[in-house]
Amino acid sequence: MTIVTKSIDIKTPVENVFTYFARPEHVSDQIKNDTVGMTVIPMDIKEGMGVGTTFRIIGDFSGKRLEWDCETTEFVRNERISAKQIEGPFKHWKITNEFKSLGANLTKVTMSVDYAMPFGPLGAILDKAKFAKSAERGMETALYNVRGLLEGNGSIPVYITLDAYQKLLAEKKKMNDVPVSTALTAILEKYAEIEAKAQN
């Protein structure tokens, strides 16, 4: 059994950090380096991505591809999200993300993965020490990337319907093909203006 834990402080309120982590695919999008890549595919989403939500993880660890299905087992708003493997190659696998407010604009995030490598041919193929090191580096990279995004130094992936995205692209085209984020900001500003007029 191996437990890998990494922590980081992020200069943003705990609510913002929790909301980002509540979508497992957000964090997996950030686990990308020269030895690790991960993709998360939501399968059955419960209200607010809460307990019972299931998702598939596809991981590439130094050229070895693994897939496993997980279920969210704990979802305590602004405090903790946990998920465990329900089907896959590991003897067991569990991830926990914990959030602690250190002030109005400071949050400590601790990511822990507790797993036992598989037995049999797959377990023999994977170098346990190398796997632990690549998992640790992947988690560290993800936390640094998430911090950059949430502190305003990057872009955050937004998951919207195809119809909504097509409408956004049409607005973008009307605005002389400005970046999507510029078009969205302009739309939100116009909406706020209309809303303010309606209240007067």
Side-chain angles (χ1 to χ4, degrees):
M1 182 160 65
T2 305
I3 298 174
V4 180
T5 300
K6 286 287 177 186
S7 294
I8 199 166
D9 292 349
I10 301 176
K11 295 176 192 163
T12 196
V14 69
E15 300 82 22
N16 295 356
V17 179
F18 183 88
T19 298
Y20 187 79
F21 274 81
R23 296 292 303 223
E25 68 272 25
H26 282 178
V27 180
S28 75
D29 285 347
Q30 306 311 320
I31 302 178
K32 305 227 181 323
N33 63 31
D34 54 347
T35 59
V36 178
M38 294 191 82
T39 303
V40 170
I41 303 164
M43 295 181 342
D44 182 18
I45 300 170
K46 302 300 180 194
E47 186 178 342
M49 297 297 288
V51 171
T53 293
T54 56
F55 51 95
R56 174 162 295 150
I57 298 177
I58 302 168
D60 179 14
F61 301 92
S62 300
K64 309 271 190 297
R65 182 183 166 113
L66 297 176
E67 289 188 22
W68 62 102
D69 294 345
C70 296
E71 179 178 9
T72 301
T73 56
E74 194 174 13
F75 192 89
V76 181
R77 185 157 299 283
N78 300 333
E79 290 181 23
R80 183 179 306 104
I81 303 170
S82 295
K84 69 175 185 176
Q85 172 188 277
I86 52 174
E87 186 178 324
F90 295 96
K91 285 173 47 185
H92 82 265
W93 184 93
K94 179 182 178 182
I95 186 168
T96 300
N97 293 300
E98 294 179 291
F99 311 90
K100 183 175 183 184
S101 177
L102 301 177
N105 283 310
L106 188 61
T107 303
K108 181 182 199 70
V109 180
T110 301
M111 182 185 288
S112 300
V113 177
D114 175 357
Y115 65 93
M117 294 298 286
F119 282 132
L122 185 58
I125 291 170
L126 294 170
D127 179 323
K128 290 167 183 52
K130 192 174 180 182
F131 184 88
K133 192 71 180 160
S134 68
E136 187 176 344
R137 293 282 295 164
M139 288 166 59
E140 185 177 68
T141 298
L143 289 172
Y144 281 124
N145 287 341
V146 169
R147 180 173 69 184
L149 292 173
L150 295 179
E151 289 182 357
N153 303 320
S155 60
I156 296 175
V158 176
Y159 299 92
I160 61 175
T161 65
L162 179 59
D163 182 53
Y165 187 65
Q166 288 171 337
K167 288 176 182 173
L168 184 55
L169 290 178
E171 289 302 312
K172 172 184 177 329
K173 195 172 199 97
K174 287 181 198 172
M175 296 177 189
N176 297 319
D177 280 325
V178 297
V180 170
S181 58
T182 303
L184 186 55
T185 301
I187 292 166
L188 292 173
E189 286 170 354
K190 185 70 174 169
Y191 176 77
E193 201 177 286
I194 293 167
E195 198 174 57
K197 284 180 185 174
Q199 291 177 355
N200 291 334

